[in-house]
Each structure stands twice: as structure tokens, then as C-alpha cells.
Amino acid sequence: MAKKLVIKVTAGADAPERCSQAFTVAAVAVASGVDVSLWLTGESSWFALPGRAAEFELPHAAPLPDLLESILAAGRITLCTQCAARREITEKDVIEGVRIAGAQVFVQEALGDDTQALVY
């Protein structure tokens, strides 16, 4: 099993099941002691903003705010630089603990030793 897991989630409310799966896998991995880096891109970018996860609903799924909180507590969450810029989101807008970084950092993380990358 990989010691590090990099997950890129591209879906948000537009594809709720895919979005929920990414957050659930990230939270379960964190709870299992895996070093997790979750990347918010595309429509999932909005979840970097305070209160936005609470607006997300999917029957029979764990609440997104709970998943987000657990990932932030023991993993890393990164908002894509270009995705943030397209949505006019800045570092002062995001939840504490969320960083903004670009493709170079994603590639560096995804190609690290003992790393598995997943895209949802």
C-alpha cells in the first residue's frame, strides 16, 4: 500500500456522487494513518470557502463538512491556483488550513516516492 495518497477531485455539486467518493476516500485514508493530500479543482473548488461544504447534500453519504474537517485535521487540502483565479477566490477567502498551489506542486506530490494518485 502506498504511504502517501494524492487525490484530485474535479467534481462538486455537478456530480455529487463522484465528489462524495473523493472526500470519503480521503477521509478514510487519513483515519487509516495515510499521508493524504486532497486537491480541489473544477467545481470542487467552491468547497475551499467557509460554509460551502454545508450546502452539499447527498443521501446516504457522510456529511461533507465532517469529511472536510477530518481531512484538514490530519491531511492537506490544496485549491488549484487556476481554478481559484477563475472563481476569483483568493487566499484570504479560503478556510483556514487550505492552501492554494498550482500544477507544478501537484505533479511533484503525485510523482513522489511511495505515492498513489487518484483523480475523481
Side-chain angles (χ1 to χ4, degrees):
M1 182 159 121
K3 294 179 182 169
K4 299 175 190 166
L5 183 60
V6 178
I7 299 173
K8 179 184 275 195
V9 55
T10 62
D14 60 325
E17 286 184 300
R18 193 162 28 113
C19 176
S20 179
Q21 289 169 359
F23 277 87
T24 300
V25 168
V28 168
V30 163
S32 300
V34 176
D35 180 3
V36 173
S37 178
L38 179 69
W39 282 73
L40 305 176
T41 67
E43 286 303 300
S44 72
S45 299
W46 296 113
F47 299 126
L49 298 175
R52 285 296 185 96
E55 297 172 8
F56 181 87
E57 291 185 17
L58 182 63
H60 309 291
L64 204 60
D66 295 349
L67 298 173
L68 186 65
E69 184 178 317
S70 68
I71 298 162
L72 273 172
R76 285 178 309 287
I77 297 181
T78 305
L79 172 59
C80 162
T81 301
Q82 289 182 15
C83 299
R86 280 190 281 276
R87 290 160 180 81
E88 298 181 356
I89 300 171
T90 67
E91 287 187 9
K92 68 178 176 23
D93 300 319
V94 300
I95 297 167
E96 185 177 340
V98 173
R99 69 176 177 169
I100 298 177
Q104 179 183 0
V105 177
F106 176 79
V107 170
Q108 184 179 30
E109 284 187 10
L111 295 178
D113 291 338
D114 297 321
T115 300
Q116 174 69 51
L118 303 172
V119 178
Y120 286 88

